[in-house]
Amino acid sequence: MKNRMERRTTVFLAFMIVFFGMTGYLTYYSRVVYLGNLPAVTVIMPERTGDLKNGRYTYVVPEDSIKVDPMGKTYILTARYQTDIIGERYLATRIDVWVLERRDDNMAIIDGMVREEPVLTGAGDLIGIGDSIVVISGDEDER
Amino acid sequence: MKRKRLLLFLIVMCFSLLWIGPLVLTVINSFAPITKGESDTISINEIRDKDEEGFTEISFLPEAYSLEQYEEILMKTPVYLNMFWNSVIITVSVVAGSVIVSTLGAYGFTMLRFRGKELLFLVYIVVMLLPLQVTLMPNYLIAGFLGIEDSYLAIILPAVFNPFGVFLLRQQMKVLPEECMEAAKIDGAGHPQIFFYITLPMVKSGIAALVMLLVIEYWNLIDQAIIFIKRIEQYPMSVFLARINKEASGISYAAATFYIIPVLALLCYGHEYLKEGIGLMNVKGR
């Protein structure tokens, strides 16, 4: 009886070690695969105009980075740095903005940005709010 | 007599099939491909509102078999495995903490003499009888007061001090032979020695039963996680499984099957302890 219990305990412990070991490895593997498959987007660091509006600075961003939701509200997507259990990555974050002026060089002056973050350009509709992304433009400070 | 036994066997088999049916279907459908798009007959892994009369034609078995669902949850998206590890963190912490607190509490209630012991134990039983939903709000307020409302501690701490463990182990300790304790005392053993060398080995089955009951309860926890945890990446997998919807139904079977494996293994291993431990709850002792 005791022998049987000991055998069962050994089998159970061995199974648990293998199961959790495999799960641990798969967790690591899936993170690597996931981070490797994230959509790459180009970003640009918004340029401060030097003007203050509503206590905030206004910024110059490319016109194609400004989106309009079905309610008619204008917004931009910024790449917000995030580090969590999955790893280091950026999240596409919605920032509601007001377009103050559209310029001839396809740039626009906006108000509403509180944090200076890289702005997604030309992301189209493929990137949704909250999506994990990889930032490929290295010409600006990305964090 | 034989006929009676056969009838009983058939009835028991019917009930067993009723219980095991959903489990078998879950396992079988976890091997169905992740279906996308419309088809005339849909698999159970693709439940959705279909025709204008509101009826949905469901085939219980998938038309094709593949490992796509497992590939998705185990290799492509780390979110599901993260949720799995969240469940592990919560369950292991609760079980470890609860076993420590319950064994010590039960020992105190059984072996020590102090004024108001029975009254205090009555309070324990009353708290134990309260439904979880009743204590959620006070727990939430206390968690807010302690500043731990958005962390696992808000779930783990109330669970660690759950009176059920004390009650279960106290019932076990009550039936331990008093002679053993007296002999130990005569030999000069103090409470720590009696606790570690005599009481704990003798209530092994009770502790094992407690461990299993706690694992089952906290492996499947939903209410506390939904209330206390705000960030989705911190949710345990039980919350995801409880929120199966049209979009996630394609992988929910594989997730459920994968999620069930450790608990099933634990129950297969320790079901005898569980029976023994729960059986001793009804024994009257000192």
Side-chain angles (χ1 to χ4, degrees), chain A residues 121-137:
Chain A
T121 61
D125 297 325
L126 295 173
I127 306 295
I129 297 156
D131 283 358
S132 297
I133 48 172
V134 171
V135 172
I136 55 168
S137 172

Side-chain angles (χ1 to χ4, degrees), chain B residues 8-40:
Chain B
L8 191 70
F9 176 76
L10 285 175
I11 292 170
V12 170
M13 279 301 286
C14 284
F15 278 108
S16 304
L17 283 175
L18 270 180
W19 175 82
I20 212 165
L23 184 69
V24 172
L25 283 176
T26 304
V27 175
I28 292 173
N29 276 288
S30 72
F31 292 102
I34 300 172
T35 42
K36 281 168 189 150
E38 297 286 325
S39 66
D40 289 339

